[in-house]
Amino acid sequence: MRRFNNTLHHSKGFVLVGFSEWPKLEMVLFVAISIFYIMTLLGNSAIIILSRLDPRLHTPMYFFLANLSFLDLCYITSTVPQMLVNIQSRWRNISYGGCIAQLFIFLGLGSTECVLLSVMAFDRYVAICQPLHYTVIMHSRLCQQLAAVAWATGFSNSLVQTVLTFLLPRCGQYQVENFFCEVPAMLQLSCVDTWINEVEMYAAVVVIKVIPVGLILFSYINIVRSVVRIQSSEGRKKAFNTCGSHLLVVVMFYGSAISGYAYMAPKSNSAKLKGKLLALFYGLVTPMLNPLIYTLRNKDVKEAVKKLLGRELEQGWNMA
């Protein structure tokens, strides 16, 4: 308790270094990030609205997709507004409480997405490998329970890591080598040995990332086996299209998130830049691409969009 109070007393805030070492790059990033942020808000909001309004999308798959879209909206909003303000400001400060909240929310949402993607893989496994029992197995109560487990697991992991991270003394260190507060960047500020935190962090990576990846691989191995047994080429194509969007999202999210750990303690400026760009990718680009991937490759979503647009145009003509 004494250690925690000492840390609190000396830490009035932090400076988010971000991309300040590359001022020309910052101006390009400001425009790109603003566009990506608006597209993310529109795309994910559209999926949530469509899944609520169109009865054909009242299925387990779209229930989990709506959860993913809501998660992505919160995920990107936890970092991007602060980042845009900092790029345009001479001061890049974030308060102590703001840093705690940002780390807790961002890490909690990222951890939740890891678990949620494995739940979505299980849903596809049941749909393709147990089609006759799909509605019986994936009933609404089970879907709600699986979603609740994903959210609870993600934020429980975040709570533990946030508390352990901010218990560390920083001895006057306050410059965060990133554009938002995250665990690896905060550990670099500590003036004591952080091996316990690093062990705990990598253990969390195993639980939150590696185990869900194993479950996803297990699901897709069985899906491929079932698809190969399908006689008609049209049936095989439909099955692969159903899973293709989810698999692409999984590869992008896990690939960028896991790669980010390679730059946890960068030594050179080029390594720092690569680490920050990777963090930008999984914190900004992936949430923006998710709705595009699902809408471009999904017939049901396309038809729901056409139906909704057709209804709006018809109402517009009637009012005119």
Side-chain angles (χ1 to χ4, degrees):
M1 187 71 184
R2 182 180 173 184
R3 184 181 177 186
F4 180 71
N5 288 337
N6 184 57
T7 304
L8 252 178
H9 180 73
H10 286 86
S11 297
K12 296 181 180 178
F14 300 95
V15 175
L16 300 174
V17 175
F19 297 94
S20 58
E21 297 174 13
W22 302 275
K24 292 182 180 178
L25 176 62
E26 275 197 323
M27 298 314 299
V28 175
L29 285 175
F30 180 83
V31 176
I33 291 169
S34 300
I35 294 171
F36 283 175
Y37 184 51
I38 293 170
M39 291 177 66
T40 303
L41 294 179
L42 293 175
N44 285 289
S45 298
I47 286 181
I48 294 171
I49 293 168
L50 287 172
S51 66
R52 296 285 295 176
L53 295 181
D54 197 313
R56 290 174 300 178
L57 303 185
H58 293 173
T59 64
M61 175 180 171
Y62 295 104
F63 169 77
F64 293 126
L65 181 55
N67 267 264
L68 180 64
S69 294
F70 175 71
L71 187 154
D72 283 338
L73 282 175
C74 300
Y75 188 66
I76 195 170
T77 301
S78 68
T79 58
V80 169
Q82 174 84 46
M83 191 194 321
L84 293 175
V85 170
N86 285 350
I87 290 175
Q88 289 294 301
S89 173
R90 289 181 58 195
W91 310 108
R92 298 167 185 269
N93 295 348
I94 184 171
S95 67
Y96 185 83
C99 189
I100 293 176
Q102 189 179 69
L103 188 148
F104 174 71
I105 294 170
F106 184 82
L107 180 59
L109 293 168
S111 301
T112 300
E113 183 159 354
C114 292
V115 182
L116 187 60
L117 288 173
S118 66
V119 170
M120 294 173 75
F122 172 71
D123 172 66
R124 292 301 82 209
Y125 161 76
V126 177
I128 292 174
C129 299
Q130 304 286 335
L132 299 179
H133 301 94
Y134 179 66
T135 54
V136 176
I137 296 173
M138 298 302 294
H139 52 83
S140 60
R141 187 177 177 184
L142 178 63
C143 292
Q144 291 168 2
Q145 289 172 340
L146 289 173
V149 167
W151 286 90
T153 303
F155 277 92
S156 297
N157 169 61
S158 180
L159 179 62
V160 172
Q161 292 207 52
T162 301
V163 170
L164 290 176
T165 300
F166 281 92
L167 279 173
L168 292 170
R170 284 172 291 278
C171 305
Q173 299 290 328
Y174 59 89
Q175 290 194 333
V176 180
E177 279 291 342
N178 212 325
F179 53 86
F180 65 98
C181 294
E182 63 167 354
V183 174
M186 297 306 295
L187 290 183
Q188 292 176 38
L189 302 183
S190 177
C191 55
V192 297
D193 192 354
T194 60
W195 71 271
I196 294 178
N197 296 72
E198 290 175 16
V199 168
E200 186 277 330
M201 184 176 68
Y202 284 115
V205 169
V206 171
V207 174
I208 298 296
K209 289 188 172 75
V210 177
I211 292 177
V213 166
L215 294 173
I216 290 169
L217 287 174
F218 172 80
S219 297
Y220 275 101
I221 287 171
N222 285 280
I223 286 171
V224 170
R225 286 177 178 172
S226 296
V227 170
V228 169
R229 295 195 207 103
I230 297 175
Q231 299 296 323
S232 67
S233 59
E234 173 122 15
R236 284 197 297 270
K237 184 179 178 182
K238 183 179 179 181
F240 278 124
N241 283 339
T242 302
C243 300
S245 301
H246 176 258
L247 194 56
L248 184 56
V249 168
V250 167
V251 170
M252 283 196 315
F253 178 78
Y254 278 102
S256 58
I258 292 174
S259 297
Y261 283 91
Y263 298 95
M264 193 182 80
K267 300 292 190 295
S268 65
N269 283 339
S270 62
K272 284 182 184 179
L273 181 59
K274 288 178 182 177
K276 291 175 184 179
L277 289 175
L278 273 171
L280 189 64
F281 185 85
Y282 68 75
L284 175 68
V285 179
T286 302
M288 186 272 293
L289 290 177
N290 285 353
L292 290 177
I293 291 169
Y294 279 107
T295 52
L296 291 175
R297 296 180 57 88
N298 193 294
K299 185 179 178 182
D300 291 336
V301 175
K302 288 180 183 177
E303 289 179 356
V305 171
K306 290 178 182 177
K307 182 180 176 182
L308 183 63
L309 291 176
R311 188 189 306 165
E312 293 296 327
L313 287 173
E314 185 179 346
Q315 289 177 356
W317 281 112
N318 291 336
M319 289 177 67

